[in-house]
Amino acid sequence: NKEGDGKAVQGESMNRQIIVANVDNESMLGDINAVPPHIFESTSIISNRLLWLARTGDVIILPREPSNTFLKYIESINGVNFSDIKIIVPTNIGTRRASITNNLLLSETVLTEVKETLYELPTQTWQILPYYFTSAVGQFGRELAKYFSLMQPPFNAEGGAEILNQKAIFRKLAAGISIPFATGETIENTHALNTTITRLLAFTGNVIVKQDKNAGGYGNYVITTTNRSHFKGAGKVLSLTDNSMESILSLIRTELATKGNEALTIEVYYNTSTVIYSEYFLGDDGTVEYLNHGIMRMQPLWSGFEIPGHLKPKIQAELIHNSTKLALLAKSLGYKGHLNIDAIVTENDTVIFTEINGRTGGCTHVHTVSAQLLGPNYLNTHQSTTYNRIIVENLEAYLNLLSENQINFSTLEKKGVVILSSDQHEFGTTLELIFTSQNTEETLRIENLARGLASSIENHTI
């Protein structure tokens, strides 16, 4: 049995991977039963992004079986043969909230399914590549290591990555290495809600209350003294012109301060011109590799990227400088794997960092696909945009439309549309897309046409 440092997808190791698509687990969302069911509508399409990270001989655990059309599509793009990759969909997974939760991953049913699969495969040294390296993933690895040669980074295996995903802890880490973050504080119980919110409203007239464990902005509520109804990154807006403070506090206590998620971060909300991000990969050999950066599209929640986008030189420099400091801090703790860092740019061009995520992110598969199709220097040669929720009748019909309109990805011209993820369900097929070319104008032309084609299918068939 072996437990030690292991390579992830960026590394040189030829170890076989057990990819765990544990999107929307308890460590991300807290009490699963308190999370609205609609949050889980995107679980499968986010999980299917990890298919791009699979290699020959790997095992991947997904919450729902991906369509054969999408698997064949990936094969046509990157040459990976999914007949040589074992896909496991747990037989005991639920339907209402279909996600690879910590409890499900450690269930006897799933452990048995995985063990039986590994016994059938040639002797290998394995490593786990989860969406999020929780303490449950560490325990899952230790169970497998009793029977197979499996490698895990010790910090990750002990659930260390969880402290890199909590908003309350982010403020403490950022303060320790002089990273600029928003004025505010973290409260451990709701008794201080009224006093803290009232005090912070005096700065800009707006505050944001952040649920400690959540993703995609759904756990971010903005309280405002104005009549504005949209704030970038806000899952819900509560105006004091329409609601009493008492009713707002009651809603926050009910919807945000749930079991296992009691800590709330309350910050001044600054008028935001742009939301930006960076991504790194921390290798088991001590390397800290910068991967990519860009602009997060917000409508008002995250809807895609502009990569690398057009940032002023000083803003880009501040983003990379302080992101690198955070990546080096994560490395010093012993974290291994992908690291995503978010920040905002205020209307006066101040960069304020908002959170760090020690896990694969919405940009990880985008980087993998872009580097393979456009080359390792793609940030200098291409402008790409992504959109993460388009619904069509089916993937095959949409691919035909892209081909007919000559905007499907061309390996010769290195431009066009690539399907990043696909989830087939009873209402149709949800797609995530990337649009790319050598200049912004052409990329936007391709995007507008591709999204228009999707709308034409949706309007006539769904």
Side-chain angles (χ1 to χ4, degrees):
N1 296 344
K2 295 181 182 178
E3 274 200 78
D5 291 351
K7 292 265 187 180
V9 69
Q10 299 300 133
E12 298 298 327
S13 172
M14 293 307 294
N15 295 338
R16 295 292 179 244
Q17 301 174 128
I18 304 170
I19 299 175
V20 182
N22 58 335
V23 177
D24 295 331
N25 60 72
E26 299 92 329
S27 299
M28 290 181 67
L29 300 178
D31 182 5
I32 294 294
N33 293 323
V35 178
H38 76 269
I39 299 297
F40 296 87
E41 292 174 2
S42 61
T43 302
S44 288
I45 193 166
I46 295 173
S47 298
N48 286 346
R49 296 169 179 169
L50 299 184
L51 289 165
W52 290 101
L53 308 185
R55 306 183 302 230
T56 298
D58 286 351
V59 173
I60 181 166
I61 305 173
L62 292 173
R64 189 152 65 200
E65 194 78 36
S67 72
N68 189 58
T69 302
F70 185 50
L71 296 180
K72 292 297 183 185
Y73 175 78
I74 295 177
E75 291 179 353
S76 72
I77 297 291
N78 67 10
V80 170
N81 188 346
F82 277 96
S83 64
D84 296 325
I85 295 170
K86 175 65 176 179
I87 296 176
I88 296 175
V89 177
T91 55
N92 58 331
I93 195 166
T95 55
R96 186 163 178 259
R97 291 181 170 89
S99 59
I100 309 296
T101 61
N102 296 339
N103 289 336
L104 180 70
L105 186 65
L106 293 177
S107 68
E108 189 60 37
T109 301
V110 171
L111 284 169
T112 298
E113 285 184 70
V114 174
K115 289 174 189 174
E116 290 177 349
T117 298
L118 298 189
Y119 277 127
E120 293 174 358
L121 298 173
T123 302
Q124 299 287 348
T125 296
W126 295 92
Q127 65 187 56
I128 300 178
L129 174 58
Y131 178 79
Y132 183 172
F133 220 124
T134 64
S135 55
V137 172
Q139 180 60 31
F140 174 76
R142 285 191 287 272
E143 288 296 318
L144 295 181
K146 295 175 182 177
Y147 310 96
F148 309 97
S149 176
L150 185 139
M151 307 175 75
Q152 291 192 100
F155 179 81
N156 294 23
E158 291 300 318
E162 295 183 33
I163 70 174
L164 298 175
N165 289 274
Q166 295 177 6
K167 297 175 181 66
I169 292 179
F170 167 75
R171 292 178 59 85
K172 298 175 176 64
L173 297 176
I177 56 174
S178 301
I179 300 294
F181 58 93
T183 299
E185 64 181 78
T186 297
I187 61 172
E188 299 297 332
N189 61 69
T190 58
H191 296 300
L193 264 177
N194 194 357
T195 302
T196 303
I197 290 172
T198 301
R199 177 173 59 81
L200 294 177
L201 277 172
F203 286 82
T204 65
N206 309 303
V207 302
I208 185 167
V209 181
K210 300 178 179 179
Q211 193 174 37
D212 201 38
K213 300 173 185 176
N214 211 313
Y218 291 104
N220 295 345
Y221 287 12
V222 164
I223 302 171
T224 178
T225 57
T226 73
N227 291 315
R228 284 177 59 186
S229 58
H230 294 284
F231 290 79
K232 291 180 179 178
K236 187 172 289 187
V237 177
L238 305 168
S239 173
L240 285 165
T241 63
D242 302 320
N243 305 276
S244 68
M245 180 63 84
E246 289 74 19
S247 65
I248 289 175
L249 296 179
S250 177
L251 188 69
I252 290 172
R253 290 188 179 103
T254 301
E255 296 186 359
L256 296 188
T258 55
K259 182 180 178 181
N261 230 351
E262 291 84 359
L264 298 174
T265 297
I266 307 172
E267 296 175 339
V268 174
Y269 186 97
Y270 301 94
N271 287 330
T272 303
S273 63
T274 312
V275 181
I276 55 181
Y277 82 94
S278 62
E279 182 176 31
Y280 290 73
F281 181 79
L282 281 59
D284 67 343
D285 55 357
T287 56
V288 175
E289 181 184 359
Y290 157 80
L291 298 183
N292 62 93
H293 73 272
I295 294 170
M296 299 178 69
R297 295 168 146 185
M298 312 297 286
Q299 298 180 344
L301 298 180
W302 173 63
S303 62
F305 295 114
E306 298 171 16
I307 302 175
H310 298 282
L311 296 176
K312 295 178 181 178
K314 188 172 186 297
I315 290 172
Q316 180 173 315
E318 290 182 12
L319 170 66
I320 301 303
H321 171 69
N322 284 306
S323 294
T324 302
K325 288 170 65 176
L326 285 165
L328 290 170
L329 173 62
K331 171 198 168 184
S332 71
L333 294 173
Y335 175 71
K336 308 291 172 62
H338 291 91
L339 189 76
N340 303 275
I341 299 159
D342 296 347
I344 63 169
V345 182
T346 68
E347 291 181 341
N348 64 356
D349 283 349
T350 300
V351 179
I352 297 175
F353 286 75
T354 56
E355 67 179 39
I356 184 172
N357 290 299
R359 56 175 172 80
T360 58
C363 50
T364 303
H365 65 302
V366 179
H367 170 76
T368 300
V369 172
S370 298
Q372 181 168 17
L373 298 184
L374 309 177
N377 203 33
Y378 72 90
L379 291 171
N380 290 334
T381 61
H382 283 69
Q383 284 286 341
S384 302
T385 58
T386 73
Y387 195 74
N388 59 17
R389 188 173 173 81
I390 288 176
I391 300 177
V392 300
E393 180 185 14
N394 62 68
L395 176 56
E396 189 170 1
Y398 185 63
L399 287 172
N400 289 337
L401 275 181
L402 295 179
S403 180
E404 290 170 10
N405 286 269
Q406 299 181 333
I407 56 171
N408 55 316
F409 184 78
S410 166
T411 54
L412 181 63
E413 298 183 32
K414 292 190 182 299
K415 69 176 185 179
V417 182
V418 178
I419 312 298
L420 291 173
S421 191
S422 173
D423 178 35
Q424 188 173 311
H425 46 79
E426 59 181 316
F427 303 110
T429 300
T430 303
L431 302 178
E432 179 185 0
L433 310 175
I434 182 172
F435 321 93
T436 188
S437 77
Q438 289 81 1
N439 64 78
T440 301
E441 292 74 19
E442 175 66 1
T443 295
L444 292 178
R445 183 194 73 80
I446 293 170
E447 176 177 358
N448 290 334
L449 178 53
R451 290 175 64 177
L453 293 172
S455 297
S456 68
I457 293 181
E458 181 179 351
N459 291 338
H460 284 89
T461 60
I462 297 179

